[in-house]
Every structure is written in C-alpha cells, then in structure tokens.
RNA sequence: UGCCCGAUGGUGUAAUUGGCAACACGUCUGACUCUGGAUCAGAAGAGCCCAGGUUCGAACCCUGGUCGGGCAACCA
C-alpha cells in the first residue's frame, strides 16, 4: 500500500479503488459486515492470478472485520472434478485464507435456482427456447444489429411444461434452453435473452445424476452471492459487461430495498514470460510440456510453492502489484524481488557446489579433517552456527577459477589468493589439465594462520568463494529453472504458430551438485540459500538417499552483469 | 459501423480527490562487506495519450479524437 503524508505529517495509507468503494459504502450507513467470496471453478489449479483475487477478497474481509466465503462455482459438470476441489482447498489453506465452515458450492443452490427459474417463467420473464446452438448464435444478431428469438413469446404454460420436462430428462443435450426474456436489441450482447439453463446429461462431482439441467454462470453467480449474503462481489474485468445482467437477475428475486450484493471488477494479474489462462496451463500439463500442475516452472500456486516461493512473498507481491482497472503486465523481477527479500531473512545458508572443480591443498596434512564453524544466517543471529568439515581435497565452483582472468575478477586464478568461506586463504600454484587441455584440478597452498577466514597480519583478499570437502560432500540433484517462455508475451507467436512455439527449451537444467552434509536433514519445502548461488527448496521427491533441490531464484549477480 | 472499460517514468501503483507528479521494482553511481549477497548513500528517467474548452490554477472536470482491452460459448 502506498503511503502519503497528511498535512499533520502522519502517514496515511492511500486506498485502492476497491477499498474506496467499501469505505464509501461503510460511510453511507451500510449496515452489516463486509462479506466477500472467492469463487473458483474446480476445473483446474489455482495460479498466481487467483492468488491476487484470494488475497484481495480475503484481505478486504480481514481489513474491514468481515468474512470471506469460499464458493466452488460448479455449474458445469463436464469440466469439473473433485481433484481440483482438493487442490484448490490446499492452495487456499497454504496461502493463509480462512473460511471456517463457510465452504459452499453453487451446486448447493440448484434447487433454489430451479424454483426461481420457475417463478420467472410464471412471471413471463423467462421462456424455453429450442434454437440449436448454431441457430441461436445466428439469431443473436450482431453488436450493431438487434437479434430475434422466435420462441420468446411462447405461452407461459408451454414453457413451464417444457422446462419441467427438461428437468425430467426427456430431452437430449442441446435441444432446449431456458432463456431470460430481457432485450434482444440491447447493445450489450449479454442482455440479449441470455441462457439461464442448458441440458447436460452429465454426472456432477457433487450432485451426481440428480440434475440434467444446469444453470449458467450468469444465472447462478449473483443468486449465490445473494443467498450467502455477500456484500462485495469482486471479479475480474471481463465480467464488466455482465454486471447489468447480474443486477437484472437480482432485481427479479431480491425484494426492493433489501440488502444485495454488488459486483466490482478489477484488472487481472499478468506476468511476463508466462501464460496465465487456465486453458493454456492445462495444455502445458496435458501435453506434457511440464511435469504436472505443480511443476516449479508453472505460475500455479502449487508450482510456485514447490519452486520455493513462500506464502509471505506472494502476499508481498500482490500488495506491491496493487489493484486497479487498467490492463497490466507485471515484470517477473518484482516477483523475484519479493521472494529474495523474504528468503534473505529466513533461509539458512549452506555451502554447495554445482559445477565442481577439484582443488588439492598441497601443504595441508594428508588425511586430516577438521570442522570449521559457519554462520547459519548472517541476517538472523538466532539461527546460530554449524560445523562444516574441511579437508585436503575440496571442490570449488568452476566459474570461480579463470586461467586468464579479466580485470576486476576477484576469484581464483594462477598465483591469486582467495578466501574459502569460513575456512582458509588459499593461493593457486598449479593448474592441472588433461590431454585435451581441459582443466581437471588445481593445486593450491593454504595459509594455516588464516583458519576461520581471517588473516592475523591483516592482509586482505578481494574474493571469497564457496567450497565443499571432497571426502564429506553429499551428492544432490539440483534442478535449475529458468523462465518457461522466451518471449515476454508468449502469445506473440509467428504466423500459424501458438504460444507453445515460444517455450524456453532451457527452462529446466538438471545438475548433480555436491553439498555440505548438513543438507542430509533437508525436508521437502525447506528453503536454503546456497551461498553465492541462489535459493533452493527441497523438492517433494527428495529423500535422504537422493536429495533433490529446486532452484527458487538466483542471488543477484553483479559480476554476471559486469562481465556482459 | 454497436456497447462497456481503460490510458501517469522501462514496469506497476499513487497524488489528501482542481493547487505545479510520489512510492516500489528495474537501471546506473559510490560506500561497506568473510556471500561480487545483504545493507547504506545517491543519480538518471514521465511533465501525466493528443487537441480544444472550463478555471486564477487540471494528471484529476467537459467536448472531440487516438490507442489498448473486453463483449456476439448451451464456458466461467
């Protein structure tokens, strides 16, 4: 939230437009608490865009001492599954949303919705139509020209009878629909006698085969909000043109002057270098471009979690992103900033080498091992210290040695001295190569007086590098992730191609790293900072016998930037 | 050619709602540092889509354009 100073100098948070609406309502003598809802359709997993919606809805409820319901919008049995309900529930909990026992389903209201529909037919405000999908489309008109519907004057009794028979399963799918009789010449296409019910002989994940007619979103949503006593129905911009319809249905069922929900629309979240539509995410999963909905490259809540993103970092991100009505594409760097900031404070530091280069310390006693004290987290002294084994043979990162270093290269090179973090100063004496000229190992000498990393004579070294004892190192599979797509906007594909053509072939690189033995204790979802490399999160597939870490994000790398 | 939204530094969001544009990310300096991390100090970068109008005064109001997004699934 932005902060602005008032004349008196104290800080005052500026409000986003939703907060302004709510506070306006509150000031207008609105009675009762603020009550929002998060209404996912269980036809896929939640993504970071949903996280924005959840945090908005839940955040508003919390801020104004209200409540948030969870309501599964399950009006289309052909797309919805219990698997998704469970996954959504898990993500919601993980994000920290609380909804007590207020977990509802649009399908809970099927009977009530049906009765209201009958009422509307009796009032001459709804009718049974038998246009085929193609015909219906053709009869809708164009935005500029009015449409027609040949059945809108069907006698009430006849519609009543037909609707009853629709419900009883006498007709096949797509043969009849129930339509609201509103205005076939409305400039708003949503108002051109929208379909309220369609016939679907499909098994519903909750109501089974009880129903074969199902309400459409527009007919179900506002009514459900009304039944639950929702005050602020917050949704994304594409529903803006539905609002008159939302209000129209409520006009039919809510007594005049009675409290009723109002719909407010905000701009959905977009992130560059990824896709956010459920349809596309589903394709990535089903066509195996990624390894499931929780693949750490996915912008799904479960994917981000597995990648190592914390709940707090996501909240921070959403807060920084803000809420408004204009289309936006958020830079990935903001998300990365949020997780770095969070993990910098929380993650324990460890030593691990991803591209090992062997170093023999020639003047170090053969067979000797010693334990050196290392700080667990310089940002938090309470995290204490640990002992890390050191020996004559160690591994360092290949990138930390250059035979012919450029200027300002502070790491190891022939004749140069660097500090091994928490250990000793070493100087490179000799470069060993194989027949092809590849560097296979380094011979270095150490200064025994620099134990722990400080030199008694006060001499300085510019570089400090990480390392791991060859004898004590533990192997770990390390999964290095990069952006899933090469293009900021993956939908910008060449002629005849789609977003899949912009997939980044290098979005996942698997390496075998050597890490310090303390990592044997790592449990799935534990986050660590591999010093000088990045943040890593223990994967759910990790076992003590086969450690697996996902790289959440690299550390900021000023050197990489300089050397470009 | 219809209707509905929107338009502020590279990105996102603000401007006490008419009083000469702020914050964050990013970028770039420099300091410091046993992570080229973190931290600290500082800089550059928009004159608010355009054109008129109202006003002492407009990013905020009005008019007309321009550009972007959405709407014609028996999806949500």
């Amino acid at each position: 939230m932005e902060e602005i100073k008032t004349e008196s100098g104290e800080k005052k948070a500026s409000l986003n437009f939703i907060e302004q609406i709510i506070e306006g309502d509150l000031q207008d003598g609105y009675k009762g608490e603020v009550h929002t809802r998060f209404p996912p359709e269980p036809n896929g997993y939640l993504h970071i865009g949903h996280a924005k919606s959840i945090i908005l809805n839940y955040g508003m409820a919390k801020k104004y001492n209200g409540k948030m319901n969870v309501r599964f919008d399950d009006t289309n049995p052909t797309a919805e599954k219990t698997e998704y309900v469970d996954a959504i529930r898990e993500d919601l909990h993980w994000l920290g949303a609380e909804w007590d026992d207020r977990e509802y389903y649009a399908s809970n209201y099927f009977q009530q919705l049906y009765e209201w529909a009958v009422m509307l037919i009796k009032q001459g405000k709804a009718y049974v139509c038998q246009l085929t999908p193609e015909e219906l489309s053709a009869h809708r008109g164009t935005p500029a020209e009015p449409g027609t519907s040949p059945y809108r004057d069907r006698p009430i009794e006849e519609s009543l009878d037909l609707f009853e028979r629709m419900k009883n399963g006498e007709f096949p799918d797509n043969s009849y629909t129930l339509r609201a009789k509103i205005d076939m010449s409305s400039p708003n296409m949503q108002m051109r006698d929208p379909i309220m019910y369609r016939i679907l002989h499909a098994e519903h994940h909750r109501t089974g085969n009880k129903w074969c007619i199902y309400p459409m979103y527009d007919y179900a949503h506002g009514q459900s909000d009304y039944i639950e006593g929702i005050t602020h129905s917050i949704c994304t911009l594409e529903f803006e043109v539905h609002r008159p319809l939302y209000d129209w249905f409520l006009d039919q069922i809510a007594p005049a002057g009675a409290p009723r929900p109002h719909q407010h629309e905000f701009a959905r979240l977009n992130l560059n270098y990824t896709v956010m539509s459920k349809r596309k995410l589903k394709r990535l999963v089903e066509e195996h471009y990624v390894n499931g909905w929780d693949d750490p490259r996915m912008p799904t809540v479960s994917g981000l979690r597995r990648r190592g993103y914390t709940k707090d970092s996501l909240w921070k991100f959403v807060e920084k992103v803000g809420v408004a009505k204009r289309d936006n594409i958020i830079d990935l760097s903001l998300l990365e900033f949020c997780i770095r900031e969070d993990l910098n404070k929380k993650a324990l530091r460890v030593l691990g080498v991803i591209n090992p280069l062997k170093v023999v310390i020639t003047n170090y006693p053969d067979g000797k091992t010693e334990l050196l004290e290392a700080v667990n987290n310089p940002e938090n002294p309470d995290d204490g210290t640990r002992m890390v084994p050191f020996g004559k043979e160690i591994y360092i990162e290949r990138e930390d040695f250059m035979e012919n270093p450029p200027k300002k290269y502070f790491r190891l090179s022939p004749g140069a001295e660097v500090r091994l973090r928490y250990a000793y100063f070493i100087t490179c004496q000799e470069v060993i190569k194989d027949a092809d000229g590849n560097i296979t190992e380094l011979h270095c000498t150490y200064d025994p007086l620099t134990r722990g990393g400080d030199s008694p004579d006060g001499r300085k070294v510019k570089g400090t590098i990480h390392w791991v004892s060859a004898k004590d190192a533990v192997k770990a599979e390390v999964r290095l992730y990069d952006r899933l797509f090469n293009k900021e906007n993956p939908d910008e594909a060449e002629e005849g191609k789609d977003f899949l053509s912009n997939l980044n072939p290098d979005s996942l690189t698997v390496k075998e790293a050597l890490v310090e033995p303390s990592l044997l204790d790592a449990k799935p979802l534990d986050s660590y900072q591999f010093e000088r490399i990045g943040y890593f999160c223990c994967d759910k597939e990790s076992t003590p016998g086969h450690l697996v870490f996902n790289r959440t994000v690299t550390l900021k790398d000023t050197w990489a930037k300089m050397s470009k």
Side-chain angles (χ1 to χ4, degrees):
Chain A
M1 212 147 304
E2 299 296 321
E3 302 225 317
I4 55 175
K5 290 225 171 125
T6 60
E7 285 152 14
S8 51
E10 82 244 23
K11 293 224 168 159
K12 187 185 160 209
S14 70
L15 305 176
N16 66 47
F17 83 100
I18 297 284
E19 293 168 322
Q20 286 176 23
I21 288 169
I22 292 176
E23 295 200 358
D25 290 343
L26 259 20
Q27 273 173 8
D28 286 347
Y30 166 78
K31 294 187 183 60
E33 66 184 8
V34 170
H35 207 141
T36 60
R37 102 268 92 114
F38 175 64
E41 184 191 12
N43 68 342
Y45 281 56
L46 261 26
H47 54 61
I48 192 168
H50 294 109
K52 175 180 180 182
S53 175
I54 291 160
I55 290 170
L56 217 206
N57 277 293
Y58 183 63
M60 289 302 98
K62 274 221 111 156
K63 175 167 182 178
Y64 296 103
N65 294 311
K67 293 187 169 97
M68 180 192 81
N69 292 357
V70 167
R71 181 173 68 241
F72 288 96
D73 216 338
D74 54 352
T75 56
N76 182 5
T78 62
E80 296 146 7
K81 287 198 262 182
T82 303
E83 175 204 341
Y84 296 131
V85 172
D86 295 339
I88 289 168
R89 214 191 263 126
E90 184 187 352
D91 289 346
L92 244 4
H93 277 125
W94 180 73
L95 279 170
E98 292 162 27
W99 61 99
D100 302 317
D101 58 348
R102 295 182 314 283
E103 178 173 309
Y104 302 123
Y105 294 79
S107 54
N108 293 166
Y109 314 131
F110 281 175
Q111 182 61 35
Q112 172 66 264
L113 256 13
Y114 174 77
E115 286 166 19
W116 276 330
V118 170
M119 180 187 86
L120 288 185
I121 297 173
K122 285 181 178 163
Q123 294 174 351
K125 290 170 178 164
Y127 61 94
V128 171
C129 179
Q130 63 200 80
L131 252 20
T132 64
E134 301 72 41
E135 289 170 338
L136 186 120
S137 169
H139 282 257
R140 205 182 310 267
T142 67
E145 302 154 36
T148 57
S149 72
Y151 301 99
R152 73 191 319 249
D153 292 319
R154 190 193 291 279
I156 289 172
E157 287 311 317
E158 204 177 301
S159 279
L160 238 24
D161 174 61
L162 252 16
F163 188 49
E164 169 90 22
R165 291 167 64 195
M166 281 166 65
K167 187 192 77 161
N168 292 341
E170 291 183 32
F171 308 121
D173 291 1
N174 294 345
S175 54
Y176 290 90
T177 56
L178 181 71
R179 293 230 255 163
K181 192 169 174 178
I182 305 180
D183 181 2
M184 283 307 288
S185 59
S186 172
N188 180 350
M189 300 301 285
Q190 304 302 323
M191 300 298 272
R192 317 255 267 225
D193 290 12
I195 292 174
M196 294 166 63
Y197 271 94
R198 76 286 212 187
I199 300 173
L200 243 34
H201 291 273
E203 183 166 322
H204 187 277
H205 73 113
R206 302 205 94 216
T207 60
N209 294 306
K210 182 175 179 200
W211 297 87
C212 60
I213 54 171
Y214 291 91
M216 298 288 288
Y217 165 86
D218 287 300
Y219 180 60
H221 203 90
Q223 280 34 0
S224 301
D225 284 343
Y226 176 72
I227 291 168
E228 293 178 15
I230 299 305
T231 56
H232 300 266
S233 186
I234 304 169
C235 63
T236 44
L237 246 31
E238 67 269 28
F239 291 101
E240 213 158 17
V241 287
H242 293 240
R243 185 158 19 111
L245 184 50
Y246 181 99
D247 291 333
W248 188 90
F249 279 127
L250 288 177
D251 285 340
Q252 312 312 314
I253 61 158
R260 60 154 82 176
H262 291 278
Q263 176 181 300
H264 306 283
E265 311 86 10
F266 69 97
R268 61 165 2 118
L269 170 72
N270 294 294
L271 256 186
N272 57 188
Y273 297 105
T274 191
V275 292
M276 211 63 92
S277 97
K278 258 197 232 177
R279 206 199 98 247
K280 290 180 187 132
L281 293 176
K282 198 172 218 156
R283 269 194 80 186
L284 291 173
V285 173
E286 290 178 351
E287 296 172 25
H288 304 289
Y289 292 102
V290 296
N291 305 312
W293 286 97
D294 68 344
D295 186 297
R297 290 166 293 183
M298 292 282 274
T300 51
V301 172
S302 52
L304 290 163
R305 176 170 60 233
R306 192 172 172 194
R307 173 83 168 250
Y309 277 83
T310 58
K311 160 193 110 174
D312 290 348
S313 71
L314 262 25
W315 275 74
K316 182 54 141 292
F317 175 67
V318 168
E319 180 192 307
K320 283 192 174 294
V321 154
V323 182
K325 293 190 75 162
R326 72 181 88 123
D327 294 325
N328 60 80
I329 301 172
I330 311 294
D331 207 296
L332 209 56
S333 65
L334 184 62
L335 220 208
E336 294 186 337
F337 166 80
C338 291
I339 188 58
R340 284 195 187 105
E341 186 188 48
D342 193 44
L343 256 19
N344 177 47
K345 279 177 274 173
K346 298 176 182 167
L348 299 183
R349 270 60 170 174
V350 293
L351 264 24
V353 173
I354 290 181
N355 292 310
L357 172 61
K358 191 178 204 176
V359 172
V360 178
I361 300 166
T362 52
N363 59 337
Y364 192 84
D366 288 337
K368 180 179 175 184
T369 292
E370 58 186 319
L371 292 172
L372 300 167
E373 186 176 40
V375 175
N376 285 330
N377 184 356
E379 302 291 322
N380 180 19
D382 291 346
D383 283 326
T385 61
R386 69 188 184 288
M387 302 308 283
V388 184
F390 181 82
K392 187 181 179 76
E393 295 192 349
I394 60 171
Y395 288 102
I396 65 167
E397 210 71 61
R398 282 202 105 88
E399 295 85 88
D400 286 340
F401 175 79
M402 278 188 103
E403 198 168 14
N404 301 298
K407 282 190 204 74
K408 296 221 184 165
Y409 184 82
F410 303 150
R411 285 111 98 148
L412 204 57
S413 57
E417 184 174 48
V418 298
R419 170 170 36 234
L420 294 176
R421 177 134 241 228
Y422 299 125
Y424 294 98
F425 286 13
I426 58 167
T427 303
C428 178
Q429 307 294 354
E430 196 180 347
V431 181
I432 314 295
K433 297 179 182 176
D434 64 14
D436 298 324
N438 300 311
I439 300 171
T440 55
E441 64 178 63
L442 263 24
H443 284 2
C444 298
T445 52
Y446 83 121
D447 176 356
L449 299 177
T450 56
R451 189 174 197 275
D454 288 308
S455 58
D457 61 4
R459 78 178 184 278
K460 302 275 185 207
V461 288
K462 273 289 210 178
T464 298
I465 64 175
H466 58 280
W467 53 275
V468 71
S469 159
K471 186 157 54 74
D472 305 281
V474 176
K475 285 180 185 168
E477 177 180 332
V478 144
R479 299 174 182 170
L480 307 176
Y481 299 102
D482 200 352
R483 48 181 65 134
L484 228 200
F485 292 91
N486 279 327
K487 276 216 153 160
E488 277 203 45
N489 175 8
D491 286 321
E492 245 170 45
E494 287 173 40
E495 266 296 302
K497 294 186 174 175
D498 64 6
F499 72 106
L500 294 172
S501 66
N502 288 321
L503 274 165
N504 175 10
D506 302 318
S507 60
L508 169 62
T509 308
V510 179
K511 293 267 190 181
E512 187 175 85
L514 294 168
V515 301
E516 64 169 76
S518 72
L519 247 16
L520 250 9
D521 297 329
K523 306 272 180 305
L525 254 36
D526 285 348
S527 279
Y528 297 90
Q529 185 197 100
F530 286 19
E531 292 212 30
R532 304 209 310 129
I533 303 176
Y535 294 98
F536 288 76
C537 183
C538 187
D539 190 73
K540 65 178 186 183
E541 292 170 356
S542 186
T543 64
H546 182 75
L547 296 173
V548 181
F549 292 95
N550 296 313
R551 185 175 68 195
T552 309
V553 65
T554 60
L555 249 34
K556 274 214 224 161
D557 192 344
T558 310
W559 169 247
K561 214 176 283 173
M562 283 169 63
S563 50
K564 254 183 216 165

